[in-house]
Amino acid sequence: MGQLEFQAIVLAAGKGTRLPEILEGRPKCLLPIGPFPMIWYPLQLLQRHGFTEVIVVVQESQKSEIQQRLERLQLKLKLDYYSIPTDSECGTADSLRLVSDKIKSDVVVLSCDSIIEVNLYPLLSKFREKDASIQLLLLESGKDLDVVMPGPKSKYKAEKDIIGYDKTTSKVLFMASASDFEETVKLSGHLLRENPEMTISSHLLDAHVYIMKKWVVEYLAVSELLSAVKGELLPHIIKKQLLQPPAVPENDGASEYTAIPKVDDIFQFAVYTEMDKMIDKASVFNKEEKNTSHPIRCYAYFADPKAFGLRIFEIFPGLTGFTERELVSQTSSIKSTQITKCAVGDMTTISEKTSLNQNVIANGCTVQPKTRINNSVLMDGVTVEETVVIDNCIVGEKAVIKSGSVLKNCIIGPHFVVAAGTKKESVYLSNADGFMTID
C-alpha cells in the first residue's frame, strides 16, 4: 500500500567506525544480527508493508558483496543499488543527495541499522494528517541500562539525544546531541516564549526512520553544507520552521515564489504544489482536513513501547515472522539436548553434551562437547573446542576458541585464535595492530 505514494530508501553506506573490533573491514550492513545480516531487517520491514522496490545506497567497494548476499536471501523486492566512492566522507544526507534525481514522490528513509518491530502504516497516516515536511520515529531509550556490553568497560558510552517537542501536536521544536553540551542545555528565549509548555526529554531515541516530502530531498540536492540527516538536516529543518516565511507577491498567482529557486533558500522549496493537492486527494492514508499555516513542519511519531524488545528472543519472532524452532536452520546438525532460545545458521554443527542458551550462532560454526555458551554471538565459521565456557561475548568470523578457555564479556576479533586454557573478562582480543592480543 505504501508503494503507491512513497518511495523507499535504505542507507547502507556507513563504514562502521564505531565497530572496528567486530567488522575489521567487512560491510557494516552485513553484520549478522540473529539469523540474517543487519540490512535484511529494514528491507523485510518494507516488504511486509507492501513495498516492491527499494533504493539501496552502498559503498562502491562493497556493492558486489552486499548484492550477492542479498540475492541469497530471496527477498521479493527489486533493489536498485547506488554506490558512493569508498574513499569519500559521505554522510546520510550526502547519500540522499546522490539519489535525489531518482526521487519522484515523498520518501521513506531507513538506515541499515534500523532493526525495529513497528507498523509503518500509522506513521504514514500521521505524516499525511500533519502534512509534515519531515517526520521521525522516536522510541523510548534507557531500557538497556542493565545490559553489559562485551569488551573493555571504558570503551562504550551510550549516546543520548535531547529532544524538545509539543505534547499536544507532536511537533519537534528542538533536537541536539547531549555530547554537544557540557552541563547546561541553553535554549533561545524566542523558542521558550513561543512554546512555553515544550517538553524536553533525554530518554527518547531517534530510530533512524524518516518520512520526507519530495521537496526536502530536492533541497538537499542544492544544499551541500548539510551532510548528515540526524545531526544537520533535522536541526536545520526544526530551526527553519520557527522563522517567519517570506511573503508571496500578491499579483504572482503562481504556486512557487520564483521560477528558479535560489540555492539554499529553503522556503523556495517548501511550497504546496498542484501535485501535492493530487496526492492528498488520492492518498490511501489519513483524510482529515489539514490545518497548517507554516510551510515547514517537523513532527515526531512516538512508537508504542510494547513494539520494541531488547533481548534477542523478545524481538526476533516479531522481526522475522519465524517461530523459535524456525530460527534453527534445517541444514545444521544439532545433537545437544540443552539448547534454548538460540538462532542457528546453515551448516553448523553442535555436539552433544553442550549447553547453549540465548545465543546467535551463524553459518558453518562448530561447537564441540562439554561446552557452555550463554547470551553470545558467534559469527560465520567459528570453532569452539571442548570444555569451553563463553558468556556474553561476541566472537568474530573464523575465530577459534581452544579447549579449556573461559571468556566473559569479551570481543574476539575475526580469525583470532584464543590459546588453550585462556581465562579473560571484559577485553578485546584481535590480530589487528594496536589492540590487545594473547600470546
Side-chain angles (χ1 to χ4, degrees):
M1 198 184 299
Q3 181 78 49
L4 297 176
E5 54 187 280
F6 294 92
Q7 287 178 265
I9 303 174
V10 172
L11 305 178
K15 296 182 178 179
T17 54
R18 289 173 290 182
L19 300 169
E21 304 95 332
I22 300 172
L23 295 174
E24 293 196 359
R26 296 181 62 199
K28 170 188 171 182
C29 67
L30 295 186
L31 185 70
I33 305 295
F36 300 102
M38 184 186 293
I39 193 175
W40 181 88
Y41 293 93
L43 291 173
Q44 194 259 0
L45 178 69
L46 290 167
Q47 179 176 289
R48 282 181 10 223
H49 286 83
F51 287 87
T52 58
E53 299 181 9
V54 181
I55 294 173
V56 182
V57 183
V58 300
Q59 290 186 45
E60 178 62 41
S61 63
Q62 299 176 347
K63 179 180 176 180
S64 177
E65 183 179 355
I66 294 169
Q67 190 169 359
Q68 291 176 18
R69 184 71 178 93
L70 289 178
E71 285 174 355
R72 294 200 299 269
L73 296 176
Q74 299 181 338
L75 287 162
K76 298 176 182 179
L77 293 169
K78 178 185 176 184
L79 302 179
D80 295 322
Y81 294 91
Y82 293 88
S83 56
I84 62 174
T86 301
D87 58 353
S88 65
E89 295 296 329
C90 284
T92 48
D94 296 318
S95 293
L96 291 178
R97 188 177 298 113
L98 170 71
V99 299
S100 59
D101 62 331
K102 307 297 180 183
I103 303 306
K104 310 302 180 185
S105 66
D106 298 340
V107 294
V108 180
V109 181
L110 293 88
S111 171
C112 72
D113 58 9
S114 298
I115 303 177
I116 56 175
E117 178 193 358
V118 66
N119 185 349
L120 291 180
Y121 295 134
L123 275 77
L124 301 176
S125 182
K126 186 64 68 174
F127 177 80
R128 287 284 182 242
E129 174 192 335
K130 297 294 186 181
D131 194 23
S133 305
I134 185 168
Q135 179 176 269
L136 60 153
L137 174 65
L138 297 178
L139 56 116
E140 291 184 11
S141 65
K143 295 181 179 180
D144 56 349
L145 295 178
D146 61 338
V147 175
V148 178
M149 293 294 294
K153 294 181 180 180
S154 61
K155 199 173 178 68
Y156 297 95
K157 291 184 179 179
E159 293 186 359
K160 279 192 175 182
D161 300 321
I162 299 177
I163 299 174
Y165 61 95
D166 185 305
K167 268 191 173 181
T168 303
T169 65
S170 299
K171 178 177 284 189
V172 182
L173 304 168
F174 178 83
M175 186 171 185
S177 172
S179 61
D180 293 339
F181 307 93
E182 293 184 0
E183 295 181 356
T184 304
V185 177
K186 295 183 179 180
L187 303 175
S188 72
H190 173 72
L191 175 62
L192 295 174
R193 285 191 299 271
E194 293 294 318
N195 304 278
E197 297 184 2
M198 177 176 61
T199 300
I200 297 285
S201 175
S202 61
H203 297 290
L204 293 170
L205 186 66
D206 178 1
H208 295 180
V209 176
Y210 311 107
I211 307 176
M212 301 179 186
K213 282 291 184 84
K214 177 175 177 283
W215 72 257
V216 175
V217 182
E218 292 172 341
Y219 174 66
L220 269 178
V222 300
S223 306
E224 297 184 357
L225 294 179
L226 300 173
S227 181
V229 171
K230 178 180 175 180
E232 296 173 6
L233 175 63
L234 281 174
H236 182 70
I237 293 281
I238 292 167
K239 289 178 181 178
K240 292 295 184 180
Q241 73 180 347
L242 301 176
L243 301 179
Q244 187 66 30
V248 181
E250 293 183 2
N251 61 351
D252 190 325
S255 59
E256 292 83 9
Y257 296 135
T258 59
I260 303 176
K262 296 179 181 179
V263 174
D264 287 353
D265 183 357
I266 193 170
F267 289 103
Q268 298 283 0
F269 292 83
V271 293
Y272 191 69
T273 65
E274 289 299 321
M275 179 60 72
D276 291 318
K277 293 178 183 178
M278 293 173 62
I279 290 174
D280 283 341
K281 186 176 180 179
S283 177
V284 297
F285 296 102
N286 199 290
K287 299 290 186 179
E288 291 186 14
E289 190 70 24
K290 297 175 176 61
N291 181 22
T292 55
S293 57
H294 199 282
I296 302 175
R297 296 170 291 275
C298 180
Y299 287 92
Y301 183 88
F302 298 91
D304 183 346
K306 296 180 181 179
F308 295 87
L310 289 172
R311 299 194 182 280
I312 296 171
F313 275 86
E314 291 176 351
I315 62 173
F316 278 175
L319 289 171
T320 64
F322 297 156
T323 64
E324 182 176 336
R325 181 184 295 272
E326 290 171 328
L327 288 171
V328 177
S329 172
Q330 296 300 307
T331 66
S332 290
S333 173
I334 312 295
K335 296 182 179 179
S336 174
T337 59
Q338 299 183 54
I339 177 170
T340 57
K341 295 185 176 181
C342 289
V344 182
D346 296 334
M347 306 303 292
T348 283
T349 300
I350 299 178
S351 301
E352 59 185 357
K353 298 181 181 179
T354 54
S355 175
L356 297 93
N357 183 48
Q358 296 196 112
N359 301 297
V360 176
I361 302 174
N363 306 308
C365 294
T366 300
V367 179
Q368 296 181 6
K370 300 179 183 178
T371 291
R372 298 200 314 270
I373 307 176
N374 297 305
N375 197 35
S376 296
V377 176
L378 275 59
M379 299 188 188
D380 291 347
V382 169
T383 298
V384 181
E385 295 187 354
E386 293 186 357
T387 62
V388 167
V389 177
I390 300 175
D391 185 18
N392 196 44
C393 294
I394 299 174
V395 184
E397 65 175 12
K398 297 183 179 178
V400 178
I401 315 297
K402 292 288 188 178
S403 61
S405 296
V406 178
L407 305 173
K408 183 176 181 179
N409 303 333
C410 294
I411 297 176
I412 313 301
H415 303 274
F416 188 81
V417 178
V418 178
T422 295
K423 293 179 173 52
K424 293 290 180 180
E425 180 174 352
S426 300
V427 297
Y428 168 51
L429 309 175
S430 171
N431 293 316
D433 292 335
F435 290 101
M436 173 181 168
T437 58
I438 295 176
D439 294 326

